[in-house]
Structure formats: structure tokens, C-alpha cells
Amino acid sequence: MTWQVLISAPYMIPVIDRFRPWFAEHDIEITVADVQERLEEADLLPIIAKYHGIVCGDDRITKTVIDAAANLKVISKWGTGIDSIDSAYAATKGIPTGRTLDAFTQPVADTALGYILSFARNLPWMDKMMKAGIWDKIPGRALNESTIGVVGVGCMGSAVLRRAKPFGARLLGNDIRTIDPAFVAEVGVEMMDLDSLLEQSDFVSVCCDLNPTSYLLFNDERFKRMKAGSVLVNTARGPVVQEEALVRALQSGKIVGCALDVFEHEPLPKTSALLGMDNVMLAPHNSNSSPKAWERIHHSTLKNLLDGLRG
């Protein structure tokens, strides 16, 4: 038989022609979705019934969508995070959800440390002032006189800590799991509860998964716990941070800056107060940018698709 597959992963669509021979070889007929960031539930409901498989990004594959997917055999996520997919419900229907673990650890960790360095050394702001004709030496700080706290010491959090260690910063970590003592000793990270980490950290790097324990984890109460003058960096998942609470923390001066690659609502609404703040660095959910990583994910995602179709 010929399998019908919907391709809606934005990072795969630009190179899909390269893989058409592979699809033909495996009797797969593809439909390429017209998508920018993701397909919402309302986009999927009218079309999902005919497909045996979907190669998706952060599409809203809800219980309702799964119930409407009469022929669906597999959901193959391009990347790691599956918080937009009701994978538990899909499993009850015999539909596996494939993903690639540790997909973008290296580029995302590079991005997190890059943001920390940018704030520590005030690089973007000095550049902006110089180009405006202002010669002003803004005080900075070295990382070896700073404390970096990492929330979520999994693949990405571990990579951020390994990158930060040579700079001589004091390293703090928090996780809901017990972290391997060998890793703790290797990087010299002090594991502690979240409130203690927030109270002591000059830079807080959010590296945790999005799950029921981390959803809107950074709310008004968490920001009140953060050290005065500290900086938040989020390269994990947007809804870990409640953006209205973040704006209030920035406006009050409780924290002096933040860097966000991900957002509670994506794309970031044009009305967001964050867009008008000079002490905020923003990026369009792009810290995974890495040709080597993308190529690996392309092939892994297709393997997961084929495995699911074949059962």
C-alpha cells in the first residue's frame, strides 16, 4: 500500500525535495503543509483523517485531533520536545510518538552561555552606544566573580554547566531528579532547592523540560525570590516562564535583564511589552540552529516515521 504522510515540521520543509526519493522508495506519498511556526488544532482537524503518519514540529496534536485521526499510525516529532502532543493519549490508541532525545544540546547550550556572557560584559549595549556616538565605559563583571544557576540539569543543563566551568563561575544546580554524583563532582556544581538557587544566582539559565512540574514555574513568587540585579536566560520551553510576571519583575528592577529564545505564546505577540525593553534580548525560537544537528534530526525523524508505519 501507499502511506499518506503529512509533513508540517518547519525545519524539514525547506529541504523536503532532497528526501523525495526516500519517500518514493518506501511507498510514502507526502503532503507538505503550509505552515509558519506550527499547525493549531483547528488547522489539523479538517485534514488529519486521511494520514497514516505526520512529521511535525510543535503542532497542537490534542486528544481531539487524535480522535479525528482515523488512520494515524505514528507521530514523528522533528526534535525533542513533545509537550504540544498528547502522547499519552496517542499511546492508548496504539499510536507511538517518535522523537530524538538530546537533539539540540550543543547549539542551545552555546546560546545560553552566549547570553550570559553578553549580559556579564554588556556587549550589545556598548556596541549600541558606540554606534550612537556615545563613548561610555559601562561596568561589567567577569564570570569568575559571578554565580550561575541552572534550573534543570539534564542534557542541556549539564552542557551549560560544562561550558561555564572553565570561566571559573560558582555553579549552582536544581533538578527534580537526583543527579549523578560523578557529574556533580566533575563540574563542581552545588545542587540545591530552587528557592536557594534563585536567591544566590547572578544568572539563572532555564534548561528544564516543560511538564506539569515546570509549567509557569517562573511566576511572581519565583521572581520575588531571585537575587536583586540578576538576569534570567530561557532557552528551554516558553511556558516555563509566565511572561506577565517576567515583565513585572523587569519593570520593578528586581531583575535587570533577560534573554529569551522561547516564549509563553509563539510567535511573540507584537503587543508584548518585552519588545520595547532595552534590557531584554530576544530571538525567534532559533537556538537549535546547527546544520549538523538539523541533518541528524532529519534522518532520525524519518527513521521514527518508517518504524511507526511498519509497526
Side-chain angles (χ1 to χ4, degrees):
M1 68 175 293
T2 299
W3 306 107
Q4 298 295 324
V5 171
L6 178 64
I7 309 294
S8 60
Y11 286 98
M12 185 164 231
I13 289 173
V15 297
I16 199 65
D17 287 347
R18 262 208 298 134
F19 296 98
R20 289 187 186 276
W22 183 92
F23 289 119
E25 178 187 346
H26 294 97
D27 297 316
I28 296 171
E29 183 176 319
I30 65 171
T31 301
V32 179
D34 182 11
V35 58
Q36 284 291 110
E37 191 70 25
R38 62 174 58 81
L39 295 180
E40 300 293 343
E41 181 184 85
D43 300 315
L44 287 163
L45 284 175
I47 62 173
I48 195 65
K50 68 177 282 190
Y51 294 109
H52 301 103
I54 179 171
V55 173
C56 63
D58 290 330
D59 298 350
R60 308 291 187 200
I61 303 179
T62 62
K63 179 179 183 292
T64 305
V65 171
I66 293 164
D67 282 337
N71 293 297
L72 197 64
K73 292 182 172 293
V74 59
I75 301 165
S76 186
K77 166 65 191 282
W78 192 97
T80 299
I82 55 172
D83 46 88
S84 65
I85 302 169
D86 194 338
S87 56
Y89 184 69
T92 70
K93 298 286 189 176
I95 303 169
T97 300
R99 59 174 175 159
T100 305
L101 296 176
D102 193 16
F104 307 113
T105 296
Q106 305 308 320
V108 175
D110 288 351
T111 301
L113 189 62
Y115 280 136
I116 291 170
L117 285 165
S118 293
F119 273 100
R121 306 307 305 158
N122 286 306
L123 302 178
W125 298 276
M126 286 192 292
D127 175 74
K128 182 178 180 180
M129 292 175 70
M130 287 290 291
K131 289 174 180 175
I134 302 170
W135 184 280
D136 188 10
K137 300 179 188 292
I138 307 173
R141 67 191 307 156
L143 289 194
N144 67 4
E145 53 194 0
S146 305
T147 299
I148 297 173
V150 172
V151 180
V153 187
C155 292
M156 187 172 75
S158 298
V160 171
L161 288 166
R162 283 194 171 103
R163 282 160 171 74
K165 180 184 177 182
F167 287 89
R170 181 187 177 206
L171 304 178
L172 311 181
N174 168 263
D175 203 288
I176 59 174
R177 304 169 300 115
T178 299
I179 301 303
D180 183 358
F183 172 79
V184 171
E186 173 197 337
V187 299
V189 60
E190 303 170 44
M191 298 301 299
M192 60 185 62
D193 65 88
L194 181 56
D195 286 344
S196 296
L197 180 148
L198 297 179
E199 290 165 359
Q200 299 177 59
S201 297
D202 299 300
F203 302 96
V204 175
S205 180
V206 181
C207 299
C208 56
D209 291 337
L210 179 61
N211 57 57
T213 70
S214 65
Y215 179 70
L216 300 183
L217 178 64
F218 281 81
N219 52 25
D220 285 309
E221 290 306 309
R222 289 283 185 248
F223 285 117
K224 288 176 185 176
R225 292 281 189 176
M226 288 183 68
K227 182 178 179 179
S230 58
V231 171
L232 180 77
V233 175
N234 186 11
T235 55
R237 300 301 269 182
V240 175
V241 177
Q242 186 180 44
E243 284 173 18
E244 289 183 359
L246 171 60
V247 168
R248 286 189 287 270
L250 289 162
Q251 290 174 336
S252 71
K254 175 64 176 179
I255 65 174
V256 298
C258 76
L260 303 173
D261 181 66
V262 290
F263 304 90
E264 186 179 356
H265 305 287
E266 294 183 2
L268 182 67
K270 294 180 180 179
T271 56
S272 173
L274 294 168
L275 293 168
M277 294 182 166
D278 286 338
N279 57 341
V280 172
M281 297 180 68
L282 305 173
H285 200 151
N286 196 45
S287 64
N288 67 2
S289 183
S290 161
K292 182 178 178 180
W294 286 353
E295 190 66 17
R296 182 170 67 90
I297 305 312
H298 292 333
H299 291 280
S300 173
T301 303
L302 293 180
K303 180 183 183 301
N304 290 339
L305 171 71
L306 190 60
D307 287 348
L309 291 174
R310 290 174 169 174

